[in-house]
Amino acid sequence: MMTHQELLEFFSESADTYRFLSQVFFKELNAEAIDELFAADYPDDTGNAHLDEGYRLVRRYFAFSTTDRRTQLACEYARIFLAAGVFTKESQTAVPYESVFAGEEHLMMGDARDDVVARFLENGFQVNPDLHEPEDHLAFELEYLVNLNERASTCAQAKDKTELRRNAVRQLEFIEQHLLNWIPALHDAAQDYAKLAFYPGMLLVAQGALEQGRDLLRAVVAQLDDTSAAA
């Protein structure tokens, strides 16, 4: 059972993790972000196989990468996520929109995006319209979880168990029905175009982090249900 302080730390750390991952997948990394990733200490055994493999691939990239990592990763980002230089009808590109992977027709602006928009609106979360990107971009879905975790922290601090449970359930639904429903397919597509280990590794890191978050959220909901029943 999590203590009150552990709950606060969980939501704060989750927000930081999803914010970091959102930045990784939204656009090409700048030199500062790459330097931070290079200097990071990646664990070997997290208890999650996807997370462990993702960290291994990221470590491998930095072990063998060139000195001009910013240019190298910018080209890699464009090739994988922007389909730069990719002209094929036989293989699915790795553009980071859920509708392309979750919809029956594999087209942008599909049903998956509509459900994402509805969930965003229901929770008062809005994507900056100046960005001119569909709402089911991976970075925006992760940023939505940042928003929910920041709200969960507020609920936990106020000891509002009813709203905290509602928030945790919304997070669980979104992770299970959206993010984990298509990130594995995005990873497989990214592997077809990646020349380096970095982005396939980061997609596995995202998948593993979401799986760990899902498991802990299930425990939070169960704990809140138990305390409510006891009361």
Side-chain angles (χ1 to χ4, degrees):
M1 178 176 289
M2 289 190 188
T3 65
H4 183 253
Q5 184 60 36
E6 286 171 338
L7 274 175
L8 291 173
E9 291 174 358
F10 166 59
F11 291 122
S12 176
E13 290 171 3
S14 294
D16 289 344
T17 297
Y18 297 138
R19 183 180 296 107
F20 158 71
L21 290 168
S22 176
Q23 293 167 352
V24 167
F25 296 117
F26 181 60
K27 62 181 180 179
E28 300 89 341
L29 293 168
N30 59 32
E32 181 181 359
I34 294 170
D35 288 344
E36 290 178 3
L37 284 164
F38 174 70
D41 183 18
Y42 301 101
D44 294 316
D45 185 8
T46 65
N48 180 280
H50 292 121
L51 204 52
D52 291 346
E53 177 64 7
Y55 284 148
R56 186 188 71 80
L57 290 173
V58 172
R59 285 197 304 268
R60 183 175 127 194
Y61 165 71
F62 283 115
F64 297 101
S65 60
T66 64
T67 53
D68 189 7
R69 297 187 183 97
R70 183 176 184 182
T71 299
Q72 190 180 58
L73 288 177
C75 292
E76 188 78 344
Y77 183 95
R79 180 169 47 250
I80 296 173
F81 299 117
L82 305 180
V86 176
F87 303 98
T88 177
K89 295 181 180 180
E90 289 74 31
S91 183
Q92 185 173 29
T93 57
V95 289
Y97 306 101
E98 183 180 351
S99 293
V100 174
F101 292 90
E104 291 183 2
E105 296 182 353
H106 302 291
L107 297 174
M108 290 175 61
M109 308 296 284
D111 292 342
R113 177 260 179 189
D114 293 342
D115 189 65
V116 166
V117 171
R119 290 173 186 265
F120 285 4
L121 289 173
E122 180 183 352
N123 290 284
F125 176 76
Q126 183 177 13
V127 172
N128 184 350
D130 294 337
L131 296 175
H132 303 293
E133 288 279 1
E135 289 83 350
D136 62 342
H137 190 293
L138 176 56
F140 299 153
E141 293 192 358
L142 290 164
E143 190 63 31
Y144 172 61
L145 288 183
V146 174
N147 182 271
L148 286 180
N149 276 280
E150 290 175 342
R151 294 184 183 202
S153 291
T154 300
C155 294
Q157 287 172 343
K159 298 186 178 180
D160 184 345
K161 294 181 179 179
T162 299
E163 186 56 35
L164 183 59
R165 185 188 187 282
R166 185 178 296 116
N167 179 296
V169 169
R170 286 174 177 170
Q171 287 195 55
L172 263 176
E173 289 178 349
F174 195 75
I175 290 172
E176 292 174 340
Q177 298 174 18
H178 284 279
L179 282 155
L180 288 180
N181 191 41
W182 71 285
I183 284 181
L186 175 62
H187 167 264
D188 291 346
Q191 283 191 306
D192 290 338
Y193 299 102
K195 294 184 178 181
L196 306 170
F198 181 80
Y199 282 110
M202 289 307 308
L203 285 166
L204 287 174
V205 169
Q207 182 178 345
L210 287 161
E211 288 169 346
Q212 285 192 329
R214 173 201 62 197
D215 295 344
L216 286 168
L217 283 167
R218 287 174 178 169
V220 168
V221 172
Q223 178 175 328
L224 291 169
D225 287 345
D226 287 344
T227 56
S228 295

